[in-house]
Amino acid sequence: MRFEILMNILAMAVVTFVTRFASIGLLGDVPAGLGRFLKHVPIAILTALIAPALFAPNGYIALTFSNHYLLAGIVTALVAYNRQPPIVTMGAGMTMILVLRMM
Amino acid sequence: MQEKDFCKGVGDTIPLIVGMIPFGLAYGILGKSIGLTSGETIAMSILVFAGSAQFICLPMLMEGAGLAMVSFTTLLINLRHLLMGASLAPYMSGLSMPFKALLSFGMADETYAVTIQRAQAGCYTGAYQLGSNAICYLLWVMSTIGGVILGDYISDPLSWGLDFAMPATFLALLIPRLRDKASVIVCLVATVVSVGSAILIPGKWYIIIACLVAAMAGGLMGGKQDAI
């Protein structure tokens, strides 16, 4: 283990922990106005993490049939919308992307 | 009771391994192929436990980008944790500070999504969150080790379509939540803003920008449509 690499890893660990602990450790009861905003954070985060990967996988918007991520995403979303358990939803999505890749 | 909640947290998180294991394997393979030792690659998963930051910083480490640059990039990618933590904080207010710190360490995208769902349904306990964190952490470290060991024998699993595993995981968590008007609007705003800013702004700013704008849009819509 090289000293310089280890220092970098430790710095990443500290910074990451600080971002995780800052709100949880410092915030107690949240005012109602902020609470109304925070209630929407889960959906906002989940969407922001995946939308660019589906709609613009190569850095530009691709609403075409050659965009496998979007097609598989639509199939996955439809399965999830029918209240299937997560494992079924993910299985359907993964099957779809593999089939598209093979075609 | 605590044990039951812990096991429930483990059980609710296990389906998400479909999305996590390919990334842990891929990270382990990439770490080795880019020139880190096995120990360094695994140490990063043990100490940092943040997939996207680990992937993005790997090449920076080998290029000698420097401590400041690596730290700033990690900070930027993980800024979303501030918002995730803030939305979990009210449910955790009764816990002791050391327990809060322990649970904070394990707050990843997956464990957050599982835990906040439980919390918003009115059933949050620290034991549940600990169960979710523990299984996720264990699988992340184990799959990293798997990637490091298998790296010489298998090709990058993300190249055979497993890079879709993460979007599939988050869609499975997201779509069932879109049951009222406010949630659908938040999702649409987050989609437009994240795609737009991902294209226009370099780096990972799009995550935090889209999250802030969309959550604000949801907050401004007021309370009456929010009932689930």
Side-chain angles (χ1 to χ4, degrees):
Chain A
M1 188 127 12
R2 286 159 288 183
F3 179 73
E4 198 195 322
I5 302 272
L6 183 64
M7 285 299 110
N8 276 286
I9 292 175
L10 286 176
M12 289 174 68
V14 170
V15 169
T16 302
F17 179 75
V18 167
T19 62
R20 284 177 168 149
F21 186 59
S23 303
I24 291 172
L26 302 178
L27 281 177
D29 282 325
V30 175
L34 188 59
R36 255 180 32 204
F37 158 82
L38 291 174
K39 197 175 71 175
H40 297 288
V41 165
I43 287 177
I45 276 274
L46 288 173
T47 308
L49 284 171
I50 56 173
L54 298 178
F55 292 98
N58 298 312
Y60 49 86
I61 294 176
L63 303 175
T64 63
F65 285 108
S66 59
N67 180 354
H68 293 168
Y69 295 94
L70 185 58
L71 290 181
I74 291 168
V75 170
T76 312
L78 287 174
V79 175
Y81 187 73
N82 284 303
R83 292 179 182 262
Q84 296 301 314
I87 195 90
V88 175
T89 302
M90 289 184 274
M94 297 307 300
T95 309
M96 188 67 193
I97 196 90
L98 290 174
V99 168
L100 286 168
R101 288 271 159 94
M102 279 186 283
M103 274 177 2
Chain B
M1 189 60 206
Q2 294 235 319
E3 278 166 40
K4 224 177 105 189
D5 279 354
F6 181 89
C7 294
K8 179 86 178 120
V10 172
D12 287 351
T13 309
I14 278 185
L16 309 183
I17 62 175
V18 179
M20 264 160 35
I21 287 185
F23 276 87
L25 288 172
Y27 164 75
I29 294 168
L30 183 66
K32 281 298 286 290
S33 68
I34 220 165
L36 287 192
T37 66
S38 302
E40 288 161 351
T41 308
I42 296 165
M44 204 198 286
S45 279
I46 290 175
L47 295 170
V48 182
F49 182 49
S52 10
Q54 289 179 229
F55 265 100
I56 288 161
C57 288
L58 268 186
M60 297 177 68
L61 291 186
M62 293 321 291
E63 288 157 11
L67 209 57
M69 194 63 204
V70 168
S71 303
F72 180 72
T73 306
T74 305
L75 176 67
L76 176 57
I77 296 164
N78 289 331
L79 273 181
R80 67 184 188 284
H81 291 148
L82 292 176
L83 289 167
M84 289 155 56
S87 76
L88 265 177
Y91 302 100
M92 301 172 73
S93 58
L95 306 175
S96 73
M97 202 47 97
F99 196 33
K100 279 184 185 176
L102 176 67
L103 292 176
S104 302
F105 174 77
M107 187 183 69
D109 295 330
E110 290 85 355
T111 59
Y112 166 73
V114 168
T115 305
I116 193 75
Q117 174 139 343
R118 180 86 171 167
Q120 290 183 337
C123 314
Y124 175 85
T125 61
Y128 179 91
Q129 187 176 5
L130 187 64
S132 177
N133 291 359
I135 188 71
C136 188
Y137 182 69
L138 191 68
L139 286 165
W140 179 245
V141 173
M142 298 299 286
S143 56
T144 300
I145 295 171
V148 164
I149 294 170
L150 297 174
D152 297 331
Y153 307 102
I154 58 172
S155 65
D156 180 358
L158 299 186
S159 68
W160 9 292
L162 288 179
D163 53 343
F164 186 69
M166 191 163 68
T169 305
F170 291 135
L171 278 171
L173 295 166
L174 169 69
I175 301 291
R177 301 183 62 108
L178 304 178
R179 295 289 170 189
D180 62 297
K181 195 175 145 199
S183 300
V184 173
I185 292 171
V186 169
C187 178
L188 289 176
V189 171
T191 302
V192 171
V193 176
S194 65
V195 173
S197 44
I199 293 170
L200 299 174
I201 304 169
K204 291 274 170 180
W205 289 103
Y206 69 89
I207 299 173
I208 192 88
I209 293 172
C211 183
L212 280 172
V213 173
M216 260 185 249
L220 290 175
M221 274 185 296
K224 63 178 190 292
Q225 309 101 317
D226 291 356
I228 297 180

